[in-house]
Amino acid sequence: MRVTVYILFSIFFIQQGNSQNIIPLDTLHWEINAQSYTLKNYKGKDAIYIQRGLAYLKDAKFLNGTIEFDVYLTNQQGFPGVRFRASDRNNMESFYLRAHLSGKPDANQAAPVINGITPWQLYFGPKYSFAYDYNYDDWTHVKIVVNGRRAQIYLDYSKTPNLSWDLVHEPREGEIAIGGGGAAAMHYANFKIDKSKYEIVDFKPIKRKPIDGLISQWEVSDMFEEKSVHDPMKLKEVIESRKWGKTIQVEEGTAANIAREVVLADGTPGNTVFAKIKITSNKDQIKLFEFGYSDRVVAILNGKPIYKGTNRWRSRDYRYLGTIGLFDAIYLNLKKGENTLLFAVSEDFGGWLVTGKFPDQKGIDIE
């Protein structure tokens, strides 16, 4: 009887989001899905030590309000943070710290999770991160205030927000989780929510300048295995066996997000799709096409492979992020009439993306 009363009280307490009390970090209040975790008192605080995983707050939904917690940082590579408005655990908003990048412009990251992918290679730069000098071997206080499509971050009891940004998903009530990836585990303590405190102050999000002239949308195929495009002699068979009908649009004025329409981790074998545009040329001509992708690509013009590349995280040097942009270009040998350009785009993590433009569109139509 006492256990039942305690559980009912705990559920009521969490739903009320009492800011004066800390939600215990234990298995009664949290569903823990992690490689490993330990519940312990650490540096004077009741804490959870969690590695490569998330702890979801049970019996609680969050739409607007304030989320606060402490995290004990070291200089090891880790990505501790919070996810919120998790409608189905594959779509949510998130903010996390890059604990090993103290003082760097990308010392942290605000990003949505879209169909299981956190596309930080699209949502990058001062609009979604800020430089911050962390105190290693000490507790860092994190506070996030959420209201509608707006959110703000306060670190270490700052009086003014360190970051203000526009949320990506439509406002929808969902779960809250703490944790992160990376090899380094992190201690969390003093977790609390207050649904009554959702005031956004001095909201001045950074604006990103869109890239002019981008292909506005791409048609995408169903998913298949990347190795299928490694043999040029079998390309025709691979192309002809695809299913089509989905389109993706440019976001952030930068790139189109394949994960909007194709779910990578749905149990289907593969990590690759074709992104397609059709180019109608008024004559035989050569046109420069600037493009970007993440993580790998094979470009195919009228059924023939013409380019293969890698833009994955750390693929070009140890600090290379693989962020999306018009960093590559090819000359397309267009025939008079209709031409089909396919990009076989493969994804590991960080963003399943494609973008491109013709600097000179004279004499061509694109669909």
Side-chain angles (χ1 to χ4, degrees):
M1 181 64 180
R2 290 181 179 177
V3 173
T4 302
V5 171
Y6 177 68
I7 293 173
L8 290 173
F9 174 78
S10 297
I11 292 172
F12 174 79
F13 162 73
I14 294 172
Q15 290 176 338
Q16 293 301 305
N18 189 330
S19 66
Q20 302 305 312
N21 295 283
I22 296 169
I23 299 173
L25 291 164
D26 55 30
T27 55
L28 177 65
H29 295 86
W30 299 83
E31 176 191 332
I32 303 171
N33 301 310
Q35 177 179 306
S36 63
Y37 72 93
T38 303
L39 304 174
K40 59 192 295 188
N41 186 282
Y42 188 75
K43 303 292 183 179
K45 300 179 187 287
D46 291 330
I48 181 173
Y49 187 60
I50 188 169
Q51 183 176 32
R52 292 188 185 275
L54 296 170
Y56 282 89
L57 183 60
K58 294 180 180 179
D59 305 307
K61 298 292 184 180
F62 179 84
L63 178 62
N64 296 319
T66 298
I67 302 168
E68 294 185 71
F69 60 92
D70 294 326
V71 59
Y72 195 90
L73 297 182
T74 70
N75 63 358
Q76 297 181 63
Q77 186 182 58
F79 306 94
V82 61
R83 300 189 179 194
F84 56 97
R85 290 183 177 172
S87 57
D88 59 8
R89 298 197 178 182
N90 282 316
N91 292 279
M92 63 196 83
E93 306 287 350
S94 74
F95 176 82
Y96 58 89
L97 308 177
R98 293 187 175 104
H100 59 298
L101 297 180
S102 181
K104 301 289 194 299
D106 56 343
N108 40 68
Q109 177 75 56
V113 180
I114 299 172
N115 285 330
I117 293 177
T118 306
W120 49 266
Q121 290 168 326
L122 173 61
Y123 298 93
F124 64 89
K127 186 176 179 180
Y128 296 103
S129 60
F130 57 94
Y132 193 81
D133 293 320
Y134 298 119
N135 293 317
Y136 290 143
D137 301 317
D138 201 355
W139 293 100
T140 293
H141 186 74
V142 179
K143 182 175 82 170
I144 176 171
V145 181
V146 180
N147 188 348
R149 293 294 290 265
R150 301 179 298 171
Q152 294 181 312
I153 284 290
Y154 299 77
L155 294 185
D156 292 321
Y157 303 99
S158 172
K159 298 298 183 183
T160 58
N162 299 102
L163 178 70
S164 299
W165 81 101
D166 294 298
L167 299 172
V168 174
H169 292 290
E170 288 292 333
R172 191 169 298 156
E173 193 176 57
E175 293 182 281
I176 296 174
I178 54 173
M186 297 287 172
H187 289 91
Y188 296 82
N190 293 341
F191 184 91
K192 54 188 176 183
I193 58 176
D194 189 338
K195 297 180 184 179
S196 70
K197 293 183 178 180
Y198 47 79
E199 181 184 6
I200 299 293
V201 299
D202 195 26
F203 189 73
K204 296 177 181 178
I206 301 295
K207 301 298 183 182
R208 175 188 283 179
K209 184 179 179 181
I211 301 174
D212 293 333
L214 289 179
I215 304 296
S216 61
Q217 70 176 30
W218 299 72
E219 186 177 6
V220 292
S221 74
D222 59 337
M223 191 165 58
F224 57 93
E225 295 189 59
E226 184 178 0
K227 63 183 180 181
S228 300
V229 295
H230 291 171
D231 186 349
M233 302 305 295
K234 296 181 179 180
L235 271 181
K236 182 179 179 181
E237 176 185 345
V238 176
I239 294 169
E240 291 179 349
S241 64
R242 300 277 57 83
K243 297 178 182 178
W244 297 87
K246 296 180 179 180
T247 59
I248 52 175
Q249 285 76 38
V250 165
E251 302 178 28
E252 296 289 302
T254 304
N257 184 1
I258 294 167
R260 288 284 188 186
E261 291 294 336
V262 184
V263 180
L264 181 65
D266 68 349
T268 303
N271 66 334
T272 304
V273 299
F274 286 125
K276 177 171 69 175
I277 57 171
K278 292 184 178 179
I279 308 147
T280 302
S281 176
N282 64 359
K283 61 181 179 180
D284 292 345
Q285 59 181 318
I286 295 175
K287 284 287 186 181
L288 179 67
F289 186 68
E290 300 173 345
F291 65 98
Y293 58 92
S294 179
D295 286 319
R296 289 174 299 283
V297 75
V298 175
I300 303 162
L301 179 64
N302 297 328
K304 297 180 179 180
I306 57 174
Y307 176 92
K308 180 180 180 182
T310 298
N311 191 51
R312 188 183 186 275
W313 175 70
R314 286 187 172 178
S315 61
R316 304 186 184 189
D317 67 58
Y318 78 102
R319 275 287 284 142
Y320 185 69
L321 299 178
T323 48
I324 191 76
L326 300 178
F327 305 137
D328 296 270
I330 45 178
Y331 287 95
L332 300 180
N333 190 4
L334 302 176
K335 64 182 182 180
K336 182 178 180 179
E338 185 177 276
N339 299 263
T340 300
L341 178 63
L342 298 175
F343 278 173
V345 188
S346 303
E347 166 68 353
D348 292 332
F349 73 101
W352 203 358
L353 310 166
V354 64
T355 192
K357 65 178 286 187
F358 287 94
D360 175 13
Q361 296 189 22
K362 184 179 179 180
I364 60 173
D365 291 315
I366 305 161
E367 60 175 304

